[in-house]
Amino acid sequence: MHVTHASDAPAGPTIDFDAFLAVDIRVGTVLSAEPFPEARKPALKLTIDFGPVIGTKRSSAQITEHYRAEDLIGRQIAAVVNFPPRQIGKFLSEVLTLGFTDEAGAVVLFRPDLTVPNGSRLF
């Protein structure tokens, strides 16, 4: 039996460069991470520093398969910072933390391989 993975999906429709630029993806450093037991799917609550312009934002991330809260402190991650906030239970998730799924469907975080200034924009 063949299991469908996100890697099996075809490329999305062609868009122009302005549509790409409308999605504001920035890098930030995780300041704190804690379990989110109230979430329907296992998740962590992250507080992320996106630098002086965007500031500190919070995110709920379903990343518990590969990451422990204490190991994320000080790690840079990428997130979409211009989606509207999303209420998840009593927690307001302000940014969408980005990742890819592995073969088993667990999330692997998207991050720069070298340290860059917090708030740097993906282009």
Side-chain angles (χ1 to χ4, degrees):
M1 178 170 119
H2 177 71
V3 177
T4 301
H5 293 283
S7 62
D8 295 334
T14 300
I15 62 171
D16 64 27
F17 193 67
D18 288 339
F20 168 72
L21 290 177
V23 180
D24 194 352
I25 300 170
R26 304 287 181 118
V27 70
T29 299
V30 177
L31 300 176
S32 69
E34 59 188 79
F36 189 8
E38 305 86 6
R40 275 186 269 147
K41 293 183 179 179
L44 296 174
K45 294 189 274 189
L46 307 177
T47 302
I48 308 160
D49 176 8
F50 289 100
V53 175
I54 295 174
T56 300
K57 301 290 183 183
R58 296 175 5 133
S59 181
S60 171
Q62 296 173 358
I63 56 174
T64 57
E65 191 71 30
H66 292 301
Y67 305 97
R68 296 182 316 159
E70 58 269 23
D71 296 335
L72 292 170
I73 310 305
R75 176 178 282 200
Q76 285 194 308
I77 57 90
V80 175
V81 299
N82 66 332
F83 284 158
R86 186 170 172 207
Q87 192 73 43
I88 303 172
K90 294 181 180 181
F91 184 78
L92 186 65
S93 188
E94 301 172 293
V95 299
L96 175 65
T97 300
L98 298 175
F100 301 96
T101 55
D102 65 13
E103 285 294 323
V107 176
V108 176
L109 289 170
F110 179 52
R111 65 183 187 142
D113 62 354
L114 299 174
T115 301
V116 297
N118 287 335
S120 293
R121 185 170 182 168
L122 180 73
F123 64 93

